Amino acid sequence: MGHAAMAATVVRYLRSTGAPAAAAPTARTSAPGPDARPAAGRGAAAGPTPVGARGRHRPRLRAVRDDERAPLDPAVFRRVLGNFATGVTVVTAPGGPGRSPAGFACQSFSSLSLDPPLVCFMVGRASTTWPRIARAGVFCVNVLSADQAELCRAFAVSGADKFAGVAHDPAPATGSPRLAGAIAWIDCAVHAVHTGGDHLIVVGRVEALDAPREGAPPLLFHRGSFGVR
C-alpha cells in the first residue's frame, strides 16, 4: 500500500469510530501509551494482533475510552506544559491537480530516528488540514525564524487562504511547499500514523532536507506567546 493510501485509510478508520469514541465500560485500567495494545480480558478485541509485511506485530488502532482519560483540569495541564518552550514550524503538503496546497502551524514537531531518518509531528484529530495532508501522503516541515511570527499566525487560522501572498517553491523530493525565509526545511513521505489521545502522531521518513538560514534565531513559543517570557 502506498503512503497516500495508507494515510487515507487511517483517516477513514478514525472517522468510522466517531473519534474520540467511548467504549462500553470495562474493568478500570491504567491509560496505555499510544502504541499499547489492550490486554486480554480487559476489553481487548477478539482475534490475533495484526502482523505487518515483515512479520512485526502492529498495535491495534483504536479510540481512547472514557475510563482512560486522566482526571486532570485541562487548563492546569496547558498551563504546566506551556512552560516547555518549543520551536515553531509550518507543515505543508501539495494540493494536487485542481486543489490548493495545505498547511498548518505546528509546534509539536520532533526528530525521531537517525537510522532510518524519521521525524514526527502531532496534529489534532479534529484538524481539517490533516486529511488533505493524508491524501497527499507527503509533507514538508518548515522551521520558522524569529522574524516569521506573522507567517505563523496566518497558518494558524482555519479556513483562510493561508498561501495568499506567501512565497514558496516545491521541495525537491515531494513537491510540498517550501516556504521562503524558513531556517530549515525537511521534506518527508508519510511513514506511519499512530493514535495518541485526541491527537494523531504522524511519522515521516525524511527524503531531503537543508538549512538555508542556518544560525538564524528561531521562532519560539512559550507560555502562550512567541518568545521566552
Side-chain angles (χ1 to χ4, degrees):
M1 183 181 292
H3 294 302
M6 180 275 293
T9 298
V10 172
V11 173
R12 287 195 298 272
Y13 172 84
L14 293 172
R15 286 176 174 168
S16 72
T17 66
T26 61
R28 183 174 180 85
T29 64
S30 58
D35 291 338
R37 293 190 299 271
R42 286 163 49 183
T49 300
V51 178
R54 298 183 181 178
R56 292 176 296 184
H57 288 281
R58 296 178 300 179
R60 294 187 181 279
L61 190 62
R62 63 183 181 81
V64 177
R65 300 193 303 262
D66 279 339
D67 64 349
E68 295 176 335
R69 296 186 172 118
L72 296 175
D73 183 341
V76 174
F77 186 87
R78 292 190 186 97
R79 177 177 58 79
V80 173
L81 272 294
N83 287 279
F84 178 64
T86 68
V88 184
T89 72
V90 169
V91 177
T92 62
R99 297 194 300 268
S100 60
F104 73 102
C106 177
Q107 17 168 166
S108 300
F109 166 75
S110 177
S111 62
L112 180 61
S113 167
L114 183 61
D115 183 17
L118 302 175
V119 297
C120 65
F121 69 85
M122 278 62 81
V123 59
R125 285 162 67 166
S127 167
T128 58
T129 302
W130 161 244
R132 299 170 62 192
I133 297 175
R135 280 195 298 269
V138 295
F139 61 90
C140 183
V141 179
N142 297 269
V143 180
L144 301 188
S145 64
D147 57 3
Q148 291 183 304
E150 288 304 317
L151 180 66
C152 177
R153 291 188 181 96
F155 277 89
V157 176
S158 178
D161 182 2
K162 301 176 184 179
F163 287 87
V166 176
H168 61 87
D169 63 355
T174 71
S176 301
R178 185 172 55 177
L179 305 183
I183 292 177
W185 53 268
I186 305 100
D187 197 13
C188 306
V190 173
H191 179 76
V193 180
H194 306 283
T195 54
D198 56 9
H199 276 61
L200 297 175
I201 305 165
V202 182
V203 179
R205 184 179 183 105
V206 178
E207 305 290 343
L209 74 170
D210 196 9
R213 294 185 61 194
E214 189 169 4
L219 182 62
L220 298 177
F221 193 79
H222 180 236
R223 296 177 62 190
S225 61
F226 295 121
V228 178
R229 301 174 59 184

